Amino acid sequence: MQLHASMQRASLGAVRGSRLLPPAASVRRQRNSTRSLLKVLATDAAAVEEPAAAASSSATGLRSSVPTSDVLELDFCSRPLLDERGKKVWELLVCSSDRSFEYSQYFPNSKINSVELRKALESVFSREGAVLPGKVRFFRGQMTTIISRALSELGIKPLPSRRCFSIMSLLEDRMESVYKADPRYSDKATSMFNMDLGAPEPLPDALRGEKWAFVQLPLGNLREMLAPVNQGDMFGSSFNLAAAGLGDLPSDVLVPGVAVFSRRALPLAAWTNGLEISGVKADVERSCLILETGVNQRWRYGGWRPSPDSIAEAEGWEEAKQGLEGLHFLAVQPDPDSEELNGLWLLLDKLPPSV
């Protein structure tokens, strides 16, 4: 069944247990709730807020440690640096999602191939105490062949994905603190890679819901609801806000989101969990939501009838999202009145830095 809009003026919601409500029912906390679900949600709320662990500095100015995470983020691309021949210098950059592990290695442009990349990664993962990750995300689609081959030869699953929020933030930091401070820096040595986003495609049947609504939650409540996701007890995905450069957001700030409702909410959440979802956009020109997945995949995720009210609502939701530097979320529930939550994804509408 095709998604359709339930765009109420009470469009942005609040939390009652694990339930997303329109603001007509005002935001309030249930002080005396005895629901076991809420007890589980509250258990690990503080863990989501923990900053990256401190570590000593290495010769490259990055934290010195070994990788121990099952999922890492990677970038392999030219930097705004020119060598003595006037050729671009390349860099391998690897980090964990909380940025407690960060690694950098420069390459001449004559050694840009999967063999050299695999050798560099082997040296990282062969260090004492290092753990070989199960998956590595990367966001540059043009480098898929080289990166995927190097990772696959090491027995690591490559994941082309724009959910590389931590390494994007690391690149932004390094532009100011490392690259511009390097005597080889040249503002003319811009990256040759651009994000190519095509037109949105029809949504596969398995990912279709029945209704949807714009909603919102205080960040503190959203963190609590993400605890089962972080524990592996619910479909969804989260990320470290501090590592993505959003650690200063207050817990009472309202985060915009989209709630999708379906009588088959559990299988819908399972299918949705198979995607590398980076964000949801409200496309006013197309009068529909756009689900962005992988590196550059885009899907029509639900629509509305154009009217002054619906346009204002969609534009207001996008403005709220951009006011939080792109932070938003996607939730899957059986229906708007349900206490049950089957899937929750913390998302960030963020283009890769031009580095």
Side-chain angles (χ1 to χ4, degrees), residues 28 36 39 42 44 47-48 55 60-61 116 128 146 169 177 202-203 216 221 254 269 272 303 305 308 314 321 340:
R28 58 187 179 272
S36 60
K39 293 179 182 178
D44 202 38
V48 186
T60 61
E116 295 295 333
E128 184 178 357
I146 289 178
S169 178
S177 63
L203 191 69
Q216 72 180 3
N221 293 106
L254 293 175
T272 304
R305 294 179 181 177
K321 184 175 67 172
E340 185 178 0

Side-chain angles (χ1 to χ4, degrees), residues 261-281:
F261 310 111
S262 173
R263 286 168 291 183
R264 43 181 289 277
L266 187 60
L268 175 59
W271 279 101
T272 304
N273 204 50
L275 302 174
E276 281 290 305
I277 305 174
S278 60
V280 178
K281 289 183 181 292

Side-chain angles (χ1 to χ4, degrees), residues 10 24-25 28 33 116-117 140 145 172 174 182 191 244 248 258 267 290 292 313 323-324 350 353-354:
R28 58 187 179 272
S33 173
E116 295 295 333
L117 177 58
R140 299 193 195 266
T145 300
E172 292 171 345
R174 285 177 66 77
D182 194 305
S191 172
D248 294 333
V258 169
I290 304 296
E292 298 192 333
E313 183 126 30
L324 296 181
K350 183 181 182 70
S354 56

Side-chain angles (χ1 to χ4, degrees), residues 307-324:
S307 71
D309 285 347
S310 65
I311 291 173
E313 183 126 30
E315 289 177 340
W317 186 83
E318 277 292 328
E319 288 175 5
K321 184 175 67 172
Q322 295 310 317
L324 296 181

Side-chain angles (χ1 to χ4, degrees), residues 162 165 278-281 292 318 321-322 325-328 347-351:
R162 280 169 58 191
F165 306 133
S278 60
V280 178
K281 289 183 181 292
E292 298 192 333
E318 277 292 328
K321 184 175 67 172
Q322 295 310 317
E325 299 185 50
L327 185 67
H328 60 298
L347 307 173
L348 192 62
D349 187 358
K350 183 181 182 70
L351 287 175

